[in-house]
Amino acid sequence: MWTALVAGVYFAIVFATGDGYGRYGGSAFLFFGICPLLIVLLAKNELLDTYLRAFVNVLVLLAALSMALWLLGPVCGILSPNCVIRNSWNGLGIELWSEGYFHLLYVVQNVDILGFSTVRNTGIFAEAPMYSLILCIGVLIEYYLAERTRRSVVWLLSLCVVTTFSTTGIIFLIAFCALECLGFVYKSGSRLRMLGMLLFVVAFVVAVDYAVLLIDDKLATRSGNIRLDDFSAGFQAWIQHPIVGYGLSDADSVTRYMSDFRLGNLGFSNSFFDVLVRGGVLFMVLFLTSLFGYLRIGGRRRKAGLLFACLWVVTISTFHPVALFMFSFGVAGLLTSPLADARTDSALLRRPLNA
């Protein structure tokens, strides 16, 4: 039924707009249609944790190498760049060549912090926010979805998120820590709960204040203004074709509503309105259904779904396979009986469907 729903949405959008986004759009929908079934199949055969661990292990290797090269190269100047890559992603309509280190770290973005300028750790990606998104998803998988959490891995990936200097990534880490601290305080004994709640409130106020400073600092920049303008332009474009959107590959309609101050920077930065502009409410149904699956599962996976939804809204990853994989976990929750336990989710996924 899920595969039929995905196929129905795809062909409805194509029929209404005449736009199937070539092979890329079709492949993304095909992956989204079968990935939840893959997760259920792996879980029933007790291979899901192995599958997840393989992805996280590769990400840990890339994170460790990029941080080492970032420290030894751009930060300390011990290593010199030894490769270059052509970068046409910048959205300015011009082609640039960026230096790198062993094709594991590219120097593509700088950041100014407390009067000091440094290079952002972008790893093998063309921008820090996308690298931060993948690292944050790695944290979610390792902490909430894997059967056994390796805390050293969570710390390593979190530290790498910090080196990207991504505002979204840092706020994600604050929210992640706040959720876990709140859960710890809630589970503590009644005598410690009041003290724990008091300490949590103080820490939460400090964290929120820091997060607000980060957001204000971001919004004071051209990049922050562009992100706000994306929400405005996305809404104005979507409201003209709210049901089926403009087409899966449409990238020109939303640009008509962008502000003039952006000049040549016409890149879009949030998945929420990207989905609505491309496929309207019909396309959005697939993602909302997936998020509902996270809520139905409950337990630790509900936290993973909520945190991932926040990441997805403010980062452009509409057709990204890793993002679709995370949504597929929510769908898998709809395909199985409700899961309420914190650490036996994968085992419960192997239970037969309710009659």
Side-chain angles (χ1 to χ4, degrees):
M1 291 178 63
W2 169 255
T3 306
L5 175 63
V6 173
V9 168
Y10 174 74
F11 287 113
I13 295 174
V14 173
F15 177 79
T17 64
D19 183 3
Y21 202 10
R23 293 182 178 179
Y24 186 72
S27 299
F29 271 84
L30 177 62
F31 179 76
F32 201 13
I34 65 175
C35 191
L37 311 181
L38 168 67
I39 292 174
V40 172
L41 181 64
L42 289 170
K44 289 181 180 297
N45 288 276
E46 302 184 8
L47 293 172
L48 181 57
D49 192 63
T50 302
Y51 189 84
L52 297 175
R53 192 59 55 88
F55 169 76
V56 174
N57 287 345
V58 172
L59 188 57
V60 165
L61 178 61
L62 291 175
L65 291 173
S66 69
M67 282 199 299
L69 292 174
W70 177 73
L71 287 171
L72 296 175
V75 175
C76 298
I78 298 175
L79 293 178
S80 300
N82 53 20
C83 65
V84 294
I85 188 173
R86 185 175 58 186
N87 179 11
S88 57
W89 170 87
N90 55 77
L92 300 177
I94 58 177
E95 188 176 272
L96 302 175
W97 288 88
S98 300
E99 296 180 329
Y101 299 83
F102 302 99
H103 289 291
L104 293 170
L105 172 71
Y106 298 111
V107 181
V108 292
Q109 289 181 323
N110 296 323
V111 64
D112 293 319
I113 299 179
L114 300 177
F116 296 94
S117 179
T118 186
V119 172
R120 304 175 74 173
N121 179 6
T122 59
I124 59 175
F125 291 83
E127 59 157 359
M130 183 55 65
Y131 189 26
S132 173
L133 171 68
I134 302 302
L135 292 168
C136 291
I137 290 177
V139 171
L140 293 178
I141 291 176
E142 180 65 27
Y143 196 82
Y144 292 119
L145 304 183
E147 292 185 3
R148 181 178 58 85
T149 297
R150 298 171 295 179
R151 297 190 179 276
S152 59
V153 168
V154 175
W155 277 105
L156 175 63
L157 295 179
S158 300
L159 181 60
C160 196
V161 170
V162 175
T163 63
T164 67
F165 297 101
S166 166
T167 303
T168 301
I170 294 175
I171 293 177
F172 162 83
L173 292 179
I174 293 174
F176 170 71
C177 293
L179 275 178
E180 288 311 302
C181 290
L182 182 60
F184 176 78
V185 170
Y186 181 78
K187 293 178 182 178
S188 62
S190 57
R191 295 183 178 180
L192 297 176
R193 186 171 299 174
M194 290 300 298
L195 177 60
M197 284 299 297
L198 178 61
L199 294 176
F200 172 79
V201 170
V202 174
F204 182 76
V205 170
V206 174
V208 168
D209 184 59
Y210 180 68
V212 170
L213 288 176
L214 284 176
I215 294 173
D216 287 343
D217 183 66
K218 184 70 175 181
L219 294 180
T221 65
R222 186 169 182 268
S223 174
N225 289 327
I226 288 176
R227 285 177 176 269
L228 283 180
D229 189 60
D230 283 342
F231 280 95
S232 174
F235 176 80
Q236 293 179 64
W238 165 67
I239 205 67
Q240 304 301 319
H241 295 273
I243 306 302
V244 295
Y246 295 83
L248 296 176
S249 67
D250 189 276
D252 298 325
S253 299
V254 70
T255 60
R256 296 198 296 265
Y257 299 93
M258 292 179 176
S259 301
D260 294 335
F261 77 87
R262 302 171 64 128
L263 299 176
N265 192 334
L266 303 179
F268 206 62
S269 62
N270 72 81
S271 297
F272 182 80
F273 278 111
D274 189 52
V275 167
L276 289 174
V277 170
R278 291 177 186 271
V281 174
L282 193 61
F283 193 12
M284 182 61 74
V285 165
L286 298 179
F287 299 94
L288 294 181
T289 302
S290 305
L291 293 177
F292 175 74
Y294 272 108
L295 298 179
R296 180 175 182 268
I297 293 173
R300 297 171 65 85
R301 293 197 177 192
R302 178 178 296 176
K303 296 179 182 179
L306 292 174
L307 289 171
F308 170 69
C310 295
L311 283 173
W312 179 75
V313 166
V314 297
T315 310
I316 185 68
S317 58
T318 305
F319 294 107
H320 199 295
V322 177
L324 295 180
F325 177 76
M326 288 297 293
F327 276 111
S328 296
F329 259 93
V331 179
L334 295 175
L335 300 177
T336 57
S337 56
L339 310 177
D341 189 47
R343 266 306 180 202
T344 58
D345 289 351
S346 60
L348 289 172
L349 269 172
R350 297 190 290 273
R351 289 181 179 178
L353 300 179
N354 288 332

